[in-house]
Short mmCIF file of all heavy atoms in Angstrom, two decimals:
data_model
loop_
_atom_site.label_atom_id
_atom_site.label_comp_id
_atom_site.label_asym_id
_atom_site.label_seq_id
_atom_site.Cartn_x
_atom_site.Cartn_y
_atom_site.Cartn_z
N MET A 201 -4.74 20.83 -41.45
CA MET A 201 -5.62 19.80 -41.02
C MET A 201 -4.90 18.72 -40.10
O MET A 201 -5.34 18.31 -39.12
CB MET A 201 -6.22 19.12 -42.24
CG MET A 201 -7.49 18.60 -42.05
SD MET A 201 -8.22 18.22 -43.67
CE MET A 201 -9.80 17.45 -43.18
N ASP A 202 -3.71 18.42 -40.50
CA ASP A 202 -2.85 17.39 -39.83
C ASP A 202 -2.40 18.06 -38.58
O ASP A 202 -2.37 17.35 -37.43
CB ASP A 202 -1.63 17.05 -40.67
CG ASP A 202 -2.03 16.11 -41.76
OD1 ASP A 202 -3.11 15.51 -41.72
OD2 ASP A 202 -1.15 15.94 -42.60
N ALA A 203 -2.04 19.21 -38.43
CA ALA A 203 -1.67 19.99 -37.19
C ALA A 203 -2.76 19.89 -36.23
O ALA A 203 -2.43 19.89 -35.05
CB ALA A 203 -1.18 21.44 -37.58
N HIS A 204 -4.05 20.07 -36.68
CA HIS A 204 -5.13 20.02 -35.77
C HIS A 204 -5.51 18.55 -35.46
O HIS A 204 -6.47 18.43 -34.70
CB HIS A 204 -6.37 20.68 -36.27
CG HIS A 204 -6.17 22.25 -36.19
ND1 HIS A 204 -5.74 23.08 -37.23
CD2 HIS A 204 -6.51 23.05 -35.15
CE1 HIS A 204 -5.69 24.22 -36.67
NE2 HIS A 204 -6.25 24.27 -35.52
N LYS A 205 -4.76 17.68 -35.96
CA LYS A 205 -5.12 16.25 -35.76
C LYS A 205 -6.60 15.87 -35.99
O LYS A 205 -7.24 15.31 -35.25
CB LYS A 205 -4.78 15.84 -34.34
CG LYS A 205 -3.23 15.90 -34.05
CD LYS A 205 -2.87 15.49 -32.65
CE LYS A 205 -1.51 15.61 -32.34
NZ LYS A 205 -0.55 16.47 -32.66
N VAL A 206 -7.09 16.37 -37.25
CA VAL A 206 -8.46 16.08 -37.55
C VAL A 206 -8.64 14.68 -37.92
O VAL A 206 -7.90 14.21 -38.95
CB VAL A 206 -8.87 17.07 -38.81
CG1 VAL A 206 -10.28 16.77 -39.16
CG2 VAL A 206 -8.90 18.50 -38.28
N GLU A 207 -9.51 13.99 -37.27
CA GLU A 207 -9.72 12.60 -37.58
C GLU A 207 -11.12 12.46 -38.14
O GLU A 207 -11.43 11.45 -38.92
CB GLU A 207 -9.62 11.72 -36.22
CG GLU A 207 -8.06 11.72 -35.75
CD GLU A 207 -8.08 10.83 -34.56
OE1 GLU A 207 -8.98 9.99 -34.24
OE2 GLU A 207 -7.01 10.94 -33.74
N TYR A 208 -11.92 13.33 -37.88
CA TYR A 208 -13.38 13.21 -38.23
C TYR A 208 -13.80 14.61 -38.89
O TYR A 208 -13.36 15.58 -38.31
CB TYR A 208 -14.32 12.86 -37.20
CG TYR A 208 -13.96 11.54 -36.41
CD1 TYR A 208 -13.33 11.48 -35.36
CD2 TYR A 208 -14.33 10.23 -37.14
CE1 TYR A 208 -12.85 10.25 -34.68
CE2 TYR A 208 -13.89 9.09 -36.51
CZ TYR A 208 -13.29 9.07 -35.29
OH TYR A 208 -12.94 7.89 -34.74
N VAL A 209 -14.68 14.45 -39.75
CA VAL A 209 -15.04 15.91 -40.50
C VAL A 209 -16.64 15.84 -40.28
O VAL A 209 -17.14 14.74 -40.44
CB VAL A 209 -14.54 15.89 -42.03
CG1 VAL A 209 -13.13 16.24 -41.95
CG2 VAL A 209 -14.89 14.62 -42.69
N PRO A 210 -17.19 17.00 -40.38
CA PRO A 210 -16.45 18.38 -40.26
C PRO A 210 -15.98 18.49 -38.88
O PRO A 210 -16.46 18.08 -37.85
CB PRO A 210 -17.71 19.25 -40.62
CG PRO A 210 -18.84 18.58 -40.14
CD PRO A 210 -18.63 17.09 -40.49
N THR A 211 -14.85 19.26 -38.83
CA THR A 211 -14.19 19.66 -37.48
C THR A 211 -14.18 21.24 -37.70
O THR A 211 -13.56 21.78 -38.70
CB THR A 211 -12.82 19.14 -37.28
OG1 THR A 211 -13.06 17.64 -37.02
CG2 THR A 211 -12.14 19.68 -36.05
N LEU A 212 -14.58 22.00 -36.77
CA LEU A 212 -14.52 23.35 -36.73
C LEU A 212 -13.63 23.89 -35.67
O LEU A 212 -13.59 23.48 -34.48
CB LEU A 212 -15.96 24.02 -36.54
CG LEU A 212 -16.98 23.72 -37.56
CD1 LEU A 212 -17.60 22.39 -37.61
CD2 LEU A 212 -18.09 24.82 -37.53
N VAL A 213 -12.71 24.78 -35.96
CA VAL A 213 -11.74 25.49 -35.13
C VAL A 213 -11.93 27.03 -35.27
O VAL A 213 -11.85 27.50 -36.36
CB VAL A 213 -10.32 25.00 -35.60
CG1 VAL A 213 -9.33 25.54 -34.51
CG2 VAL A 213 -10.29 23.46 -35.46
N LEU A 214 -11.99 27.57 -34.10
CA LEU A 214 -12.15 29.03 -34.10
C LEU A 214 -10.92 29.58 -33.49
O LEU A 214 -10.47 29.24 -32.47
CB LEU A 214 -13.41 29.42 -33.20
CG LEU A 214 -13.68 30.99 -33.13
CD1 LEU A 214 -13.92 31.70 -34.44
CD2 LEU A 214 -14.82 31.20 -32.27
N TYR A 215 -10.34 30.68 -34.10
CA TYR A 215 -9.18 31.46 -33.61
C TYR A 215 -9.74 32.79 -33.37
O TYR A 215 -10.53 33.38 -34.02
CB TYR A 215 -8.09 31.57 -34.78
CG TYR A 215 -7.30 30.27 -34.76
CD1 TYR A 215 -7.71 29.18 -35.58
CD2 TYR A 215 -6.06 30.18 -34.06
CE1 TYR A 215 -6.87 28.01 -35.56
CE2 TYR A 215 -5.25 28.99 -34.12
CZ TYR A 215 -5.79 27.89 -34.82
OH TYR A 215 -4.95 26.82 -34.98
N ASP A 216 -9.17 33.48 -32.35
CA ASP A 216 -9.54 34.84 -31.97
C ASP A 216 -8.56 35.80 -32.99
O ASP A 216 -7.82 35.25 -33.64
CB ASP A 216 -9.38 35.26 -30.64
CG ASP A 216 -7.98 35.11 -29.97
OD1 ASP A 216 -7.00 34.92 -30.87
OD2 ASP A 216 -7.82 35.21 -28.82
N LYS A 217 -8.82 37.05 -32.78
CA LYS A 217 -7.99 37.94 -33.78
C LYS A 217 -6.51 38.05 -33.33
O LYS A 217 -5.77 38.51 -34.18
CB LYS A 217 -8.67 39.36 -33.62
CG LYS A 217 -8.55 40.12 -32.30
CD LYS A 217 -9.20 41.51 -32.46
CE LYS A 217 -9.11 42.21 -31.07
NZ LYS A 217 -9.85 43.52 -31.16
N ALA A 218 -6.15 37.58 -32.12
CA ALA A 218 -4.79 37.43 -31.92
C ALA A 218 -4.05 36.16 -32.40
O ALA A 218 -2.91 35.99 -32.35
CB ALA A 218 -4.49 37.59 -30.44
N GLY A 219 -4.90 35.33 -33.01
CA GLY A 219 -4.31 34.18 -33.72
C GLY A 219 -4.30 32.90 -32.65
O GLY A 219 -3.67 31.99 -32.83
N ARG A 220 -4.99 33.08 -31.44
CA ARG A 220 -5.15 31.99 -30.52
C ARG A 220 -6.37 31.10 -30.87
O ARG A 220 -7.46 31.60 -31.01
CB ARG A 220 -5.23 32.57 -29.13
CG ARG A 220 -3.89 33.34 -28.61
CD ARG A 220 -4.10 33.80 -27.20
NE ARG A 220 -5.29 34.64 -27.15
CZ ARG A 220 -5.23 36.00 -26.96
NH1 ARG A 220 -4.20 36.65 -26.91
NH2 ARG A 220 -6.46 36.66 -26.90
N GLN A 221 -6.11 29.84 -30.73
CA GLN A 221 -7.24 28.93 -30.76
C GLN A 221 -8.10 29.01 -29.56
O GLN A 221 -7.61 28.94 -28.49
CB GLN A 221 -6.75 27.52 -31.08
CG GLN A 221 -7.81 26.49 -31.08
CD GLN A 221 -7.26 25.07 -31.36
OE1 GLN A 221 -6.17 24.91 -31.85
NE2 GLN A 221 -8.03 24.13 -30.73
N VAL A 222 -9.44 29.31 -29.79
CA VAL A 222 -10.32 29.53 -28.67
C VAL A 222 -11.44 28.51 -28.45
O VAL A 222 -12.19 28.39 -27.56
CB VAL A 222 -10.88 30.90 -28.65
CG1 VAL A 222 -9.79 31.96 -28.29
CG2 VAL A 222 -11.70 31.20 -29.87
N TRP A 223 -11.59 27.59 -29.67
CA TRP A 223 -12.76 26.59 -29.61
C TRP A 223 -12.47 25.59 -30.74
O TRP A 223 -11.95 25.98 -31.75
CB TRP A 223 -13.98 27.45 -29.82
CG TRP A 223 -15.19 26.59 -29.95
CD1 TRP A 223 -15.98 26.01 -29.00
CD2 TRP A 223 -15.88 26.24 -31.11
NE1 TRP A 223 -17.04 25.32 -29.49
CE2 TRP A 223 -16.99 25.34 -30.80
CE3 TRP A 223 -15.67 26.39 -32.54
CZ2 TRP A 223 -17.85 24.88 -31.75
CZ3 TRP A 223 -16.50 25.81 -33.47
CH2 TRP A 223 -17.64 25.09 -33.00
N LYS A 224 -12.86 24.39 -30.53
CA LYS A 224 -12.75 23.39 -31.46
C LYS A 224 -13.91 22.32 -31.15
O LYS A 224 -14.20 22.09 -30.07
CB LYS A 224 -11.49 22.72 -31.32
CG LYS A 224 -11.33 21.54 -32.30
CD LYS A 224 -9.95 20.73 -32.08
CE LYS A 224 -9.65 19.77 -33.17
NZ LYS A 224 -8.34 19.06 -32.86
N GLU A 225 -14.54 21.94 -32.30
CA GLU A 225 -15.69 20.97 -32.22
C GLU A 225 -15.67 20.13 -33.36
O GLU A 225 -15.38 20.55 -34.50
CB GLU A 225 -16.99 21.79 -32.10
CG GLU A 225 -18.24 21.00 -32.03
CD GLU A 225 -18.36 20.30 -30.58
OE1 GLU A 225 -18.08 20.94 -29.56
OE2 GLU A 225 -18.92 19.23 -30.55
N THR A 226 -15.92 18.82 -33.18
CA THR A 226 -16.13 17.80 -34.31
C THR A 226 -17.58 17.62 -34.52
O THR A 226 -18.32 17.41 -33.53
CB THR A 226 -15.33 16.41 -34.04
OG1 THR A 226 -13.92 16.88 -33.80
CG2 THR A 226 -15.48 15.59 -35.05
N GLY A 227 -18.01 17.66 -35.70
CA GLY A 227 -19.41 17.42 -36.04
C GLY A 227 -19.98 18.70 -36.58
O GLY A 227 -19.57 19.87 -36.26
N ALA A 228 -21.18 18.57 -37.26
CA ALA A 228 -21.81 19.79 -37.75
C ALA A 228 -22.27 20.73 -36.59
O ALA A 228 -22.87 20.12 -35.67
CB ALA A 228 -22.96 19.34 -38.64
N VAL A 229 -22.17 22.04 -36.83
CA VAL A 229 -22.66 22.90 -35.84
C VAL A 229 -23.51 23.94 -36.42
O VAL A 229 -23.11 24.63 -37.46
CB VAL A 229 -21.50 23.69 -35.15
CG1 VAL A 229 -22.06 24.74 -34.18
CG2 VAL A 229 -20.44 22.73 -34.50
N PRO A 230 -24.81 24.05 -36.08
CA PRO A 230 -25.71 25.02 -36.77
C PRO A 230 -25.39 26.45 -36.64
O PRO A 230 -24.71 26.78 -35.59
CB PRO A 230 -27.14 24.72 -36.04
CG PRO A 230 -26.89 23.68 -35.27
CD PRO A 230 -25.46 23.36 -35.05
N PRO A 231 -25.64 27.22 -37.63
CA PRO A 231 -25.14 28.73 -37.55
C PRO A 231 -25.69 29.41 -36.26
O PRO A 231 -25.05 30.27 -35.80
CB PRO A 231 -25.91 29.29 -38.78
CG PRO A 231 -25.92 28.04 -39.76
CD PRO A 231 -26.26 26.91 -38.99
N SER A 232 -26.90 29.05 -35.80
CA SER A 232 -27.33 29.61 -34.49
C SER A 232 -26.42 29.24 -33.34
O SER A 232 -26.32 30.12 -32.45
CB SER A 232 -28.81 29.12 -34.33
OG SER A 232 -28.82 27.71 -34.05
N SER A 233 -25.89 28.12 -33.36
CA SER A 233 -25.00 27.71 -32.19
C SER A 233 -23.69 28.48 -32.52
O SER A 233 -23.00 28.75 -31.45
CB SER A 233 -24.80 26.21 -32.25
OG SER A 233 -26.06 25.47 -31.90
N LEU A 234 -23.27 28.68 -33.63
CA LEU A 234 -21.98 29.36 -33.85
C LEU A 234 -22.18 30.80 -33.43
O LEU A 234 -21.23 31.30 -32.73
CB LEU A 234 -21.74 29.38 -35.41
CG LEU A 234 -21.18 28.02 -35.96
CD1 LEU A 234 -21.00 28.11 -37.43
CD2 LEU A 234 -19.78 27.70 -35.26
#
Side-chain angles (χ1 to χ4, degrees):
M201 210 167 176
D202 289 342
H204 281 96
K205 297 178 176 42
V206 173
E207 294 180 18
Y208 303 101
V209 288
T211 294
L212 290 79
V213 181
L214 178 63
Y215 282 83
D216 66 11
K217 65 181 181 179
R220 292 182 304 252
Q221 182 181 325
V222 294
W223 176 81
K224 181 178 179 180
E225 181 72 38
T226 298
V229 179
S232 59
S233 296
L234 286 172

